[in-house]
Amino acid sequence: MPIEVRKLSHIYNEDTTLQMAALNEISTSIQDGEMLALIGETGSGKSTFVQHLNALLLPTSGELQIDDRIIRANEKATQLKSLRKKVGLVFQFPEYQLFEETILKDIAFGPKNFGVSEEEANQLAAKYIQVVGLDLSYLEKSPFECSGGEKRRIAIAGILAMDPDILVFDEPTAGLDPKGAKDMMELFRELNQKYHKTIILVSHDMEHVMNYCDRVIVLNKGKILKDCSVKEFFKESDLLYQLNIDPPSILKLKDALRAKGFQIDDDALTLESVAACIKKEVRS
Amino acid sequence: MKNFTLGRYMPIDSFMHTLDPRAKIVSMFLLMIAIFIPAGFVGYITIGLVIVLAIYASKLSLRFMWNALKPIYFMLTFLLIINILVVKSGDPLFTVFGFTIYTNAIMHTLYIAIRLIYMILITTLLTATTKPMDMTTGLEDLMVPLKKLHVPAHEIAMIISIALRFIPTLIEETQRIIKAQSSRGVDLQEGKLMEKIMAVLSLIVPLFVSAYQRAEDLANAMEARGYIPDRKRTRYKQLHIHFRDVCVLLLCAIVIGISIGIAIWL
Ligand SMILES: Nc1ncnc2c1ncn2[C@@H]1O[C@H](COP(=O)(O)OP(=O)(O)OP(=O)(O)O)[C@@H](O)[C@H]1O
Ligand SMILES: [Mg+2]
């Protein structure tokens, strides 16, 4: 299901003194099976943008098309349920969606809303709690007894259980320990490569963006500042410095090596490939 | 929900915003009293003029004031219908389908409507132009004489200020929770009755949980900074009465004076 965004703008509190233009005529398209990173400074409009993808927010002007659904400004959107089944959104603050007595019920809540039977929903819950790295003993616990990181995993499981085609994660690794965050990224990669889900990821972690995503969109003050492949994006640290982004350490290492006169390939983005470059240099 | 204006502070730079909160609170009370003095339409026009003047001096948009009145439209319509059905005094105005409508039915509704509208406009003017913190400081100062009667003035002021402070937060929170649950297929607009009840439940639980969580955090944060309600505290922000505050109070006193005058002598 391709996503097509045409001149999308969103203004909060329009026509009041608190008016705030969060998105400004954004146009882009996202193809099936992409793994896209959405980055940008705090307040650049990332969360606002992703909430348009399943019509939680409606455009103030412009439109977006998801598959054959077109959502326009000033047009009351109805029958949004089918859209929300296709586009699963995990919020920046997962505690806002947990409400059931047990984690089992909470994960099963989404699928049941979309017409899956109770029994099947419970099986899904059992499957996805393990997928997000928690064991079955959690199912009978209350979601409110969990730590921040556990809550986040449960919230993600709740969305995965709905089996949407497009998955949108708003800073999914915030509050997870480094190992947990890495596992989560591996999971997203698997969902993308094995199950061909489109993944849209809002992240502040450049290492994750570099290692896991295919494409980067940089938002700044509600506008798209840069939209390119990950390879191109991480080619030169100059570009990142221009955009006020701290480059991943591998890029800094490459810069340091180049400053000492080493020749390093532009697309060497892992330690191994950089090591291989050094070896080649030293040999010759 | 989106245009929720009741009790919301609007950060504008206006004459009304610069007034001393105590002067504004007292003025509000004076006008409220004036509303309930039976001074006929002349009285209401006088108060109306003062309100118009205040709206002008507050730079609040007319749309904002209109939105503030939204919650009572339904009530007023309902009232009008009841009055038309019940009130049978005054001159018959006109007859539809053999049912006569009397002037008093209209007059009664009008009286109540004007009072309600005035009251809401005045409170909106106060809350929209006074920061919640200033409001409580003002309230507390005004309640100082009550301390002699062992009324916990400071505690009351603190409770009010916390309540006021958290209204917008809770509204925001509700919107966030609505969004999170909508993403999981909760359908608040379309959908059957049972589904809707379930939908509301899926909002209320997280809302309560987060409200309690917030209350606990707040209490801890206050205690951690050594907050003890009955200790004497100094203030960072001191209130001062200026000439303009006196003028506003005088104006309100004159309004009350006119109303009482009309009520007694006319
Ligand atoms: N509900 C709202 N009402 C008014 N303004 C809002 C609202 N939500 C966001 N904004 C404003 O819109 C702008 C964009 O916010 P948004 O949440 O999309 O940023 P973000 O890129 O997700 O930031 P972060 O990295 O901190 O999550 C911000 O300036 C914010 O203040
Ligand atoms: Mg955000």
Side-chain angles (χ1 to χ4, degrees):
Chain A
M1 273 190 310
I3 301 172
E4 195 70 50
V5 184
R6 289 183 280 261
K7 293 205 165 204
L8 173 72
S9 299
H10 191 92
I11 302 174
Y12 284 109
N13 301 315
E14 205 177 7
D15 295 331
T16 69
T17 43
L18 303 172
Q19 181 161 329
M20 163 85 220
L23 291 178
N24 200 342
E25 301 213 338
I26 286 198
S27 300
T28 186
S29 65
I30 300 166
Q31 304 308 320
D32 286 347
E34 273 195 74
M35 187 138 173
L36 170 84
L38 195 60
I39 61 176
E41 292 170 25
T42 293
S44 54
K46 305 179 297 293
S47 298
T48 308
F49 177 71
V50 295
Q51 286 173 48
H52 281 85
L53 298 176
N54 67 351
L56 287 174
L57 289 177
L58 298 176
T60 321
S61 71
E63 60 179 39
L64 72 165
Q65 180 173 358
I66 293 145
D67 219 6
D68 47 6
R69 270 303 286 273
I70 299 186
I71 292 168
R72 292 193 177 86
N74 307 319
E75 195 174 280
K76 201 164 186 305
T78 51
Q79 310 257 296
L80 292 172
K81 221 166 152 172
S82 59
L83 178 63
R84 291 187 182 144
K85 164 79 182 72
K86 288 184 200 158
V87 185
L89 171 62
V90 180
F91 268 81
Q92 195 166 358
F93 307 99
E95 44 276 37
Y96 289 123
Q97 69 174 59
L98 306 174
F99 79 101
E100 289 276 18
E101 300 147 61
T102 66
I103 293 174
L104 174 76
K105 283 188 185 173
D106 213 283
I107 300 179
F109 179 72
K112 277 197 291 189
N113 278 332
F114 293 114
V116 171
S117 73
E118 175 109 34
E119 203 181 327
E120 231 175 302
N122 289 349
Q123 282 168 4
L124 284 172
K127 174 178 167 199
Y128 282 102
I129 191 85
Q130 290 167 307
V131 166
V132 295
L134 298 176
D135 58 64
L136 288 173
S137 66
Y138 275 88
L139 286 178
E140 293 309 317
K141 273 199 193 174
S142 157
F144 301 110
E145 291 166 3
C146 293
S147 76
E150 287 165 341
K151 279 184 187 161
R152 186 167 287 282
R153 288 166 199 259
I154 298 161
I156 292 175
I159 300 293
L160 292 183
M162 289 161 29
D163 193 30
D165 300 325
I166 299 173
L167 279 161
V168 186
F169 300 99
D170 200 344
E171 297 185 30
T173 51
L176 295 183
D177 55 284
K179 166 85 169 56
K182 187 161 177 283
D183 291 346
M184 204 49 91
M185 293 308 299
E186 294 288 344
L187 168 66
F188 297 161
R189 171 181 278 165
E190 188 183 323
L191 287 167
N192 177 248
Q193 292 182 347
K194 213 156 131 195
Y195 301 98
H196 307 292
K197 309 264 184 211
T198 308
I199 307 247
I200 298 167
L201 185 77
V202 175
S203 181
H204 285 294
D205 190 324
M206 288 310 127
E207 308 277 348
H208 288 164
V209 173
M210 185 177 78
N211 293 327
Y212 294 94
C213 298
D214 313 322
R215 181 177 157 200
V216 185
I217 291 183
V218 187
L219 279 183
N220 181 279
K221 301 206 175 81
K223 287 198 164 150
I224 293 184
L225 199 60
K226 182 95 190 154
D227 179 352
C228 64
S229 71
V230 162
K231 271 217 179 95
E232 190 187 334
F233 191 72
F234 290 105
K235 209 160 161 180
E236 301 253 349
S237 50
D238 290 355
L239 173 67
L240 298 176
Y241 283 122
Q242 262 172 39
L243 300 175
N244 218 348
I245 298 168
D246 193 36
S249 37
I250 191 92
L251 279 197
K252 290 184 185 163
L253 172 67
K254 278 163 71 177
D255 281 350
L257 286 169
R258 279 178 183 147
K260 294 278 181 227
F262 279 96
Q263 292 283 328
I264 310 285
D265 287 351
D266 276 342
D267 31 344
L269 289 178
T270 57
L271 276 178
E272 288 78 26
S273 51
V274 171
C277 290
I278 298 175
K279 191 174 168 195
K280 210 166 77 193
E281 284 281 295
V282 175
R283 285 260 165 88
S284 60
Chain B
M1 202 66 111
K2 237 184 189 162
N3 299 318
F4 194 91
T5 46
L6 197 69
R8 187 154 143 193
Y9 173 71
M10 296 299 276
I12 314 176
D13 181 21
S14 84
F15 174 76
M16 284 289 282
H17 286 73
T18 58
L19 287 178
D20 186 286
R22 290 168 298 181
K24 278 189 273 190
I25 296 170
V26 172
S27 302
M28 183 187 90
F29 274 109
L30 290 178
L31 288 178
M32 288 282 183
I33 295 168
I35 290 174
F36 283 94
I37 298 172
F41 274 94
V42 181
Y44 286 139
I45 288 171
T46 324
I47 300 169
L49 282 177
V50 173
I51 292 176
V52 169
L53 202 66
I55 294 176
Y56 179 73
S58 70
K59 293 192 190 162
L60 290 169
S61 69
L62 289 180
R63 160 130 44 137
F64 180 83
M65 301 310 283
W66 177 254
N67 282 339
L69 287 174
K70 256 185 196 160
I72 64 163
Y73 295 145
F74 171 74
M75 211 165 96
L76 289 179
T77 322
F78 191 66
L79 192 75
L80 181 66
I81 295 170
I82 296 273
N83 272 342
I84 286 176
L85 292 179
V86 175
V87 180
K88 297 281 177 219
S89 55
D91 306 321
L93 202 57
F94 53 86
T95 309
V96 259
F97 304 122
F99 190 87
T100 315
I101 293 171
Y102 292 86
T103 43
N104 272 8
I106 307 289
M107 286 317 232
H108 272 279
T109 317
L110 213 55
Y111 266 116
I112 298 177
I114 289 181
R115 286 179 184 174
L116 265 177
I117 291 174
Y118 279 5
M119 284 197 300
I120 290 185
L121 287 181
I122 292 171
T123 17
T124 307
L125 271 168
L126 176 70
T127 50
T129 63
T130 316
K131 283 187 202 132
M133 274 328 284
D134 291 349
M135 184 96 82
T136 22
T137 322
L139 270 178
E140 195 181 343
D141 277 9
L142 290 171
M143 285 195 290
V144 163
L146 295 178
K147 273 189 186 160
K148 298 249 155 33
L149 301 171
H150 297 289
V151 175
H154 171 74
E155 284 87 334
I156 294 177
M158 184 54 88
I159 291 170
I160 296 175
S161 100
I162 290 176
L164 285 177
R165 159 68 187 74
F166 279 99
I167 290 172
T169 314
L170 284 180
I171 291 171
E172 252 169 53
E173 200 111 305
T174 315
Q175 283 170 345
R176 282 208 195 118
I177 295 167
I178 289 178
K179 282 185 191 162
Q181 302 301 37
S182 305
S183 305
R184 294 206 291 170
V186 167
D187 200 337
L188 281 165
Q189 267 125 36
E190 303 149 40
K192 295 184 217 88
L193 183 67
M194 249 336 267
E195 282 177 44
K196 275 194 182 154
I197 293 174
M198 200 56 202
V200 171
L201 204 66
S202 74
L203 302 183
I204 291 177
V205 176
L207 191 60
F208 264 87
V209 170
S210 83
Y212 274 107
Q213 188 63 49
R214 239 173 234 288
E216 206 174 307
D217 288 350
L218 184 67
N220 285 340
M222 285 167 83
E223 264 176 28
R225 291 186 221 171
Y227 175 76
I228 300 172
D230 50 11
R231 273 309 145 73
K232 242 199 154 23
R233 299 168 71 208
T234 53
R235 264 195 206 145
Y236 168 64
K237 194 165 180 177
Q238 302 288 336
L239 297 177
H240 298 289
I241 292 282
H242 293 276
F243 180 63
R244 50 176 184 262
D245 302 309
V246 180
C247 291
V248 168
L249 283 172
L250 263 180
L251 181 68
C252 294
I254 291 173
V255 171
I256 278 216
I258 293 178
S259 299
I260 293 177
I262 295 173
I264 295 177
W265 288 296
L266 291 180

